[in-house]
Amino acid sequence: MARVALVTGGTRGIGHAISIALKNAGYRVAASYAGNDAAAQAFQVETGIPVYKFDVSSYEAAEKAIKQVEKDLGPIDVLVNNAGITKDGMFHKMTKEQWDAVIGTNLNGLFNCTRPVWEGMRARKFGRVINISSINGQKGQMGQVNYSASKAGDIGFTKALAQEGARAGITVNAICPGYIGTEMVKAIDPAVLEKSILPQIPVGRLGEPSEIARCVVFLASDDAGFITGSTITANGGQYFA
């Protein structure tokens, strides 16, 4: 029977590509989303992948939704913690709400979604947890103290949990994308992209969501069973970690 994968934030951007790639690789995929009902429904019609609406920053909401996914599809074998938000601002102007919202989704969300599936993975002696961090969690970014802190926290979460899961057949890894050609990035002023962003990327282009998705498919596979606690730096050479 096909393994079950849950991709949080799985209906748009990088998550959209990950969901499709996992389905194409033979997984039974569920994709979560937080608020854009129209986009989620369009995604479900396009792909045939069931969608589940919940806020990863709420443990109770995540736990309830994950139980429903497992009731509908079966035990979750692969969890891709992809859901993330930004609320940028210089630190001297950053509000407590901006800080709490980003930490709540990008860091607390990892606990909220991983904890409900962890014991099942341990019992079955198999699991794959793949956390989508960011280049800015590795190097930091001005105007993104909250985001950079959350994404750095994702890497620490990955390294510690990998040590706990190893003997139980569970791998835990992180992927740190650089600038990827999602709607959000492509909405940046083309002049800014050309003059300020692309010159920082040695390969001279934005990454494609499918390139991150292929990393996920590999880490989810049996072939990656000896890789855990690792960070894949997928940024076109912009930053070496």
Side-chain angles (χ1 to χ4, degrees), residues 2-237:
R3 287 176 173 153
V4 176
L6 170 62
V7 183
T8 68
T11 65
R12 300 172 65 194
I14 292 173
H16 181 284
I18 291 170
S19 296
I20 292 173
L22 286 169
K23 181 182 179 182
N24 290 343
Y27 294 85
R28 301 180 70 192
V29 180
S32 85
Y33 73 103
N36 192 325
D37 294 318
Q41 292 307 312
F43 168 86
Q44 183 167 272
V45 170
E46 171 199 348
T47 64
I49 295 171
V51 298
Y52 296 81
K53 184 178 183 178
F54 68 94
D55 181 356
V56 300
S57 72
S58 165
Y59 182 82
E60 292 74 18
E63 183 179 43
K64 181 179 178 181
I66 285 168
K67 285 180 179 178
Q68 188 61 52
V69 171
E70 296 198 318
K71 180 180 178 181
D72 294 344
L73 301 181
I76 293 170
D77 301 299
V78 177
L79 172 65
V80 184
N81 285 309
N82 170 71
I85 63 171
T86 58
K87 287 186 178 291
D88 296 348
M90 297 297 285
F91 188 70
H92 66 280
K93 295 182 179 180
M94 185 171 289
T95 66
K96 184 68 162 55
E97 184 277 332
Q98 287 175 298
W99 175 268
D100 287 345
V102 171
I103 296 296
T105 295
N106 298 3
L107 181 55
N108 294 346
L110 267 63
F111 176 87
N112 295 341
C113 294
T114 307
R115 184 65 181 83
V117 304
W118 189 252
E119 289 181 46
M121 289 180 174
R122 281 171 51 87
R124 295 187 301 276
K125 299 296 182 183
F126 180 87
R128 298 285 188 264
V129 178
I130 302 162
N131 302 315
I132 308 302
S133 179
S134 169
I135 184 175
N136 291 344
Q138 297 174 299
K139 72 176 186 62
Q141 178 62 42
M142 184 173 67
Q144 286 195 325
V145 169
N146 50 2
Y147 184 80
S148 296
S150 70
K151 292 301 187 176
D154 292 349
I155 297 171
F157 177 99
T158 297
K159 291 180 177 181
L161 192 59
Q163 296 178 50
E164 296 189 23
R167 293 296 179 99
I170 307 168
T171 66
V172 187
N173 292 289
I175 300 171
C176 287
Y179 282 95
I180 306 299
T182 60
E183 289 181 16
M184 181 176 68
V185 172
K186 288 180 177 178
I188 296 172
D189 184 334
V192 174
L193 274 175
E194 289 293 331
K195 294 180 180 179
S196 300
I197 295 176
L198 291 179
Q200 299 178 39
I201 306 172
V203 301
R205 64 173 177 85
L206 300 176
E208 294 295 333
S210 61
E211 293 178 298
I212 306 304
R214 287 195 290 273
C215 295
V216 171
V217 171
F218 171 66
L219 290 175
S221 71
D222 289 343
D223 290 341
F226 199 60
I227 300 172
T228 194
S230 295
T231 301
I232 292 182
T233 299
N235 62 34

